[in-house]
Structures are given as structure tokens and as C-alpha cells.
Amino acid sequence: MTLDRINRKILSALQKEARMTNQDLADKVGLSPSSCLSRVKKLEEAGYIGPYMAVLNLPKLCRSVTVIATVSLKDQSTEAFRLFRQAAQEIPEVVECDTVSGVFDFFLKIVAPDMLRYNAINDRLLDLIPGQINISSHVVLETGKPFRGYPLDQLLDS
């Protein structure tokens, strides 16, 4: 499947407002509603779109603490990395886990109800391979720019 100009417009529009009607999307990208719906379905089937999620206003919903944790493993084996990734997958409060290059092996974004729960998560991760994991925690004080989508115009034109 090619990402022509119309498909790029569809992706950009849906990234900004996934709940718009097919009619509104078709108007925005200059297609008939049936052609637009057909393209959206093809983009979904090809894996360019999905899953659909709502962006929640967490501070309005509840109290929470967000922590960015940098993780280094002393054991650089494939098995140690697999074990750590699996543990991160199993902890619901770990909302993102990226394997990275450089000084650290992982960046985690953890959202917990309080520091007591965060400490329990931290201890659980440290206990995976006792003495072999180093975690440095960075409490998020304020989010100056929340994630609101990818810069498709810049990424797709390069």
C-alpha cells in the first residue's frame, strides 16, 4: 500500500481527531464518503492506523505520580532483556517501555496512584535479577508538551 497525498491527509486528520465522522473526514481530505471509508479501512488493515484510544485528562480524574525511570542491566544477555521486558509488560502502571541505546538500557514511563505504589513497582523490578538492575527515577513535575501525535509532514517527506 502506498501512502499517497490523500492517505497522508487522512492519517494527519485522524491523528488530530479520531472521532470525526466519515463525512467530516471525507470533506477535509476532498473525497466522497465511500472512497474515504474505503481508504480508512485499507489503512487499518495494513496496520497504519490503530488501535483507537481516548486521551484522558488524568489530573481531572485522580491523583497520580508519573515517573520516568532509566534502567541499566548489568547482565547484557538477551535473556535478561527478555525477562525485564516481560516484567514491564505485566505491570499495568508501566505505561511505556522503550529499549534504548547508550548509557541506559530502558526508559520506562510509570504512572502510579502514589509514591508508595511506585516504590513497590520499583522493588518488584529490582528483585527480578537481584543486584543486577540499576533504576534511576525521575518524577515528572509538569508536562510542558504532552504527546499529541507524530509530525507526519516532517517524517514522511524526508
Side-chain angles (χ1 to χ4, degrees), residues 11-36:
L11 292 173
S12 290
L14 287 176
Q15 183 173 243
K16 290 178 184 150
E17 178 54 53
R19 287 191 53 158
M20 75 172 67
T21 66
N22 183 58
Q23 179 66 56
D24 289 343
L25 180 59
D27 291 344
K28 192 170 270 229
V29 300
L31 290 175
S32 70
S34 61
S35 294
C36 185

Side-chain angles (χ1 to χ4, degrees), residues 51-64:
Y52 293 93
M53 297 171 47
V55 177
L56 303 179
N57 184 345
L58 196 57
K60 191 167 183 135
L61 286 168
C62 60
R63 290 176 46 126
S64 66

Side-chain angles (χ1 to χ4, degrees), residues 142-155:
E142 180 181 349
T143 300
K145 183 179 181 181
F147 179 76
R148 293 290 187 252
Y150 298 104
L152 291 181
D153 290 339
Q154 290 78 8
L155 292 171

Side-chain angles (χ1 to χ4, degrees), residues 96-157:
E96 290 182 32
C97 176
D98 296 310
T99 305
V100 297
S101 63
V103 178
F104 307 108
D105 297 314
F106 296 95
F107 281 133
L108 304 180
K109 184 173 185 181
I110 302 166
V111 181
D114 51 38
M115 285 305 292
L116 187 65
R117 177 63 185 140
Y118 172 72
N119 285 333
I121 293 165
N122 193 61
D123 289 346
R124 179 175 169 186
L125 292 171
L126 289 171
D127 288 344
L128 282 173
I129 314 169
Q132 297 295 307
I133 298 174
N134 181 37
I135 300 176
S136 182
S137 303
H138 311 274
V139 176
V140 175
L141 301 176
E142 180 181 349
T143 300
K145 183 179 181 181
F147 179 76
R148 293 290 187 252
Y150 298 104
L152 291 181
D153 290 339
Q154 290 78 8
L155 292 171
L156 295 176
D157 289 337

